[in-house]
Amino acid sequence: MAEPLLNGMVQTPCDREEPVLRPGNTNCGGCGMSIGLNFLSRAIAQRPVQMVIPACCGIVTAGMYPYSNYGAPVIASTFASSAAVATGLAAVAQINGDETRVICWAGDGGTYDIGMATLSAAAERNEDILYVCYDNEIYGNTGGQRSSATPEGAYTSTTPGGKEDRKKDIIGIMAAHRVPYVATVSLAHPEDCLRKMRFALDQRGFRFLHILSPCPTGWKSEPAEGIELIRLAIQSGLYAVYEIFDGERFQINVESERSFQALERYFALQGRFRKSQVDLNSIQAGVEQTWKLLQLRAGMESIHE
Amino acid sequence: MSAQSHGNGAYHMPIELISANHAAAKAATLAGRANRNARGFGGGVYPITPQTECIELLCRQEFDKGKIVRVESEHSAMAVCIGVSLSGARAFTASASNGLAYMAENVVAASYYRLPILMMAVNRTLGPPWNIWVDHGDTLMLRDTGWMQIYCENNQEVLDSVLLGYRLAEDPRVLLPVMICQDAFVLSHTMMLTDIPEQEQVDAFLPELDLPHRVAHQAVTLGGLDFPHETEVHRIQHHKATKNVPEVYRECQDAFEKAFGRRPPDRVVPYRMDDAEVVLVSMGTTTSTARKVVDAAREKGLAVGSLGVRMLRPFPEDLLRTWLQGKEKIGVLDRDLSPGVGGILWSELRGVVGGDRTVQNYVLGMGGGDVLPEHLQKVLDDLLARNCAGEPELMEVA
C-alpha cells in the first residue's frame, strides 16, 4: 500500500474510512481538541481501537444518546476513572488476544486533577493503554474554572485575579513512572503530531501523549488563531515539544529560540491574561530554567525541525 | 481444565473448613473459570478489612483466561470491573465499609451501564470513628443504586449466592449488578464446613456470559449524554428489569438445586410462620439468632415466627406481603440506623404492612455489638407487651 501523501496530512486510501470525529459535532470553532481528534483519526488508520473518555468536552462531543459523533467505540467513564476502565478493557483484550488499541482521551481536569491517582496507578502497572491528555488549561466543560494545568497569570472564573500558582509539570510526573513512552505533541507541527501518535499506537505498555489544546472560549482568543498560539507557545519556550523513552532518554523535537517577543505576543493575543499582573520577565526566567534542565536531560542533543 | 489441576497439587476436597471470605473467593474463581471458553474473567481488587482475605485468595488463583488487577483504590477497583464487564468478561470485586463509600460513584455507574458485575461486600461499620465490626449501614447506603442486594446467613450461603448471583445477574431479562453481603467477622473470618462444588458442576450451572451491549468495534458511545426523556426511558427499563428478578431468581434456585443438590433460600426466608401471630423480621446473621428465640418462645406455647430478608433489592414486597398477612405484631430488627428516622429495614417495611398493626423497630448490634439470644428475648418480651408501635428502640447490646 502506498505511503500516506504529504507525510500523512492528506486523506488517502490508507486512512480510516470513517473519521474518529464525525462531521456535525457541536464543538466550538477553533477547538484544539477537535484538531487533535482529526490527527488521531489519521494516525489510527486501520487499527482497531476502543476509546475511553471521562467527563470533559471530549464526551460532550459525542452528542446526545442514541447518536454518537465518534466513528469509533467510546465508553463515557466517570471523571476520575478513564485509566481504570481502560485497564479493564485492555486486560480482557489481552487475555483474548484481541489486537484492539485502548485509548484514553481526557482533558486536563481528568488528568492533572481528579484522575491523577488512577492515571499514576495505571502507569505504574504499565497497562497497555495509550493515554492522550488534551490540555486546554481549564475546566472548559463546566464553563472555565482553574485546574492545576492552568498557567500562572491566567484569569478563570475561579481565579478572578489571575492564577497565582504555576502549572503542574505533568510530563515530569509521567516520566517519573518510567513508562515506555511520554511525549508532548504540537498541533502546529502535523508531522510531529502524526509521527508520535502512530508511534504511540504501535507501542505496548503505557504511553502518554500531551497535547496543548487551544480553547478560544476559555482562552478568550480568536478561533482562527489557535495554531498561531501554539507556534508562539513553542517559540517562546512555554511549550516544549519533546519525547521521553522509558523515563530515561529525552529527545527534544522542536527547537525553541525562547523569543521574548513571542512570549509577549502569546500573552497579548489571549483575553485570559488581560488582567494578569504576571511579570513576563519572571515567566521567561522560569522558561529558561526549564529549558536548561530539559537540554541537560536531552544530553544537549536536539533534532531541529 | 479441571479444578484439581489448579491448586498446589492437593486434590480438591468437596467439603472444606473455610471462612466466608474464602468461600466467596473460591466461588468467584469457579465462576471465573466457567467463562474460560467465552471472554474470560477479571476484576480490580483493593484491600480493606474485613474483606482482604477474599482478594488475597483470589490473587493466588490461576486462570486460563483471566486477569486480576491490583489497583490503587476501590473507586478504580469498580472502574476496572466496568471495563472488564463492558468487554464481555465476567467481573468480580470485593469491598466493605468506607471502601464502598469511596467506590460509590462507580457502583452507580456499573448499574446504569447495566453490567452483571458481582461484588462481595462485607458489612462493616462506616467511620469515623473507625470500627471494623459488623453494621449494615455501608451496603444500605448503596440501596438505591440499582444493584441487587443479597444478605447471607452463613458461609455456604455466601458461596452459593456468588454462583447463583452470576446466573441471576447475567440473565438477559435482568442484566443488573449484584452485591453479595455478609456480616463482618461473624461470617467473614469465621470458619465453617463448606461444600465446594467441582468445576464441572459450575460449568454446567453457569452459562457463558454473552453481554448484549458488549463493546467491540461498533461505533457507539456507551454512557454518553441523555435528554430528560431518554433518562426516563432508561430508568423505566431498569425498573422493569428488577421486576423480572423474582421469576428469574426462582429459575436460578431450580437450576442450582439440579446442579448442586441443594436449594438456595428464597428471597425471604420464613421460619415457623404458618400459625405465627408475632413475627421478628431481620437480615444477615441476626436471623439465625432470631430462630433460636422463636424456638424458645414456641416451647412456651407462644405463636412466634421469623422472617429473614435475604434479598433487600429488589425489595421482596410480594413475599413480605404474603408472609405478613394477618400478623398483628411485627418486630423489625435493624443493624443500621438512619439518624433521625430509625432502622432502614423498618422504614421500608412500614410501607408494605400499613394499617393499624404494630410494626415496632429495634435497632441493635450497630458497630458490631454482639446480638445474643437474650437481647432478642428482650425484644420479644417488649413486642408481646405492646398494643401499638412507638418510637424505634435504639438498644445498646455491646
Side-chain angles (χ1 to χ4, degrees), chain B residues 185-380:
Chain B
F185 297 101
V186 183
L187 294 187
S188 69
H189 288 63
T190 303
M191 311 248 276
M192 290 184 198
L193 283 175
T194 308
D195 194 329
I196 300 162
E198 299 290 344
Q199 186 65 52
E200 292 72 25
Q201 289 174 282
V202 179
D203 291 350
F205 170 69
L206 265 183
E208 285 164 359
L209 172 58
D210 182 17
L211 189 76
H213 53 301
R214 150 166 120 76
V215 173
H217 305 300
Q218 70 279 39
V220 295
T221 294
L222 250 136
L225 312 180
D226 265 7
F227 280 121
H229 181 244
E230 279 68 44
T231 294
E232 286 171 341
V233 172
H234 286 143
R235 291 290 186 278
I236 290 166
Q237 285 176 342
H238 199 135
H239 186 71
K240 280 183 177 165
T242 70
K243 295 295 176 195
N244 296 329
V245 170
E247 187 191 344
V248 178
Y249 184 87
R250 225 172 2 254
E251 291 173 18
C252 290
Q253 282 177 299
D254 295 341
F256 193 101
E257 192 173 9
K258 205 173 145 200
F260 305 108
R262 58 177 178 274
R263 189 173 181 81
D266 289 349
R267 290 172 292 132
V268 172
V269 186
Y271 185 70
R272 302 185 85 160
M273 280 296 291
D274 287 338
D275 62 339
E277 291 159 11
V278 176
V279 185
L280 296 177
V281 186
S282 58
M283 295 200 310
T285 54
T286 309
T287 308
S288 306
T289 312
R291 285 202 201 96
K292 296 241 177 241
V293 177
V294 166
D295 285 342
R298 287 278 179 177
E299 276 182 27
K300 285 186 243 166
L302 296 164
V304 181
S306 153
L307 282 184
V309 178
R310 174 170 146 81
M311 181 177 275
L312 187 82
R313 279 292 182 273
F315 196 57
E317 191 168 331
D318 52 338
L319 294 178
L320 288 168
R321 271 190 203 286
T322 305
W323 286 115
L324 291 173
Q325 196 173 22
K327 311 298 184 195
E328 284 307 317
K329 288 186 181 180
I330 299 157
V332 187
L333 313 176
D334 268 288
R335 203 166 203 160
D336 57 82
L337 179 68
S338 174
V341 178
I344 292 165
L345 180 61
W346 167 73
S347 58
E348 296 255 292
L349 205 73
R350 277 196 299 175
V352 173
V353 180
D356 301 329
R357 291 187 277 166
T358 302
V359 185
Q360 176 62 40
N361 189 202
Y362 302 91
V363 175
L364 74 175
M366 285 188 290
D370 201 4
V371 179
L372 301 172
E374 65 206 61
H375 301 123
L376 296 192
Q377 188 58 54
K378 266 190 209 163
V379 164
L380 189 58

Side-chain angles (χ1 to χ4, degrees), chain B residues 86-113:
Chain B
L86 277 170
S87 221
R90 192 162 277 159
F92 177 84
T93 192
S95 193
S97 183
N98 285 59
L100 292 168
Y102 194 65
M103 183 194 282
E105 186 194 24
N106 281 330
V107 171
V108 174
S111 163
Y112 288 172
Y113 286 124

Side-chain angles (χ1 to χ4, degrees), chain B residues 42-69:
Chain B
V45 295
Y46 189 74
I48 183 171
T49 304
Q51 159 282 116
T52 310
E53 286 183 333
C54 172
I55 59 143
E56 282 176 338
L57 184 62
L58 192 68
C59 287
R60 292 201 294 272
Q61 307 303 310
E62 284 171 21
F63 295 93
D64 288 343
K65 198 190 266 190
K67 192 173 179 186
I68 305 298
V69 186

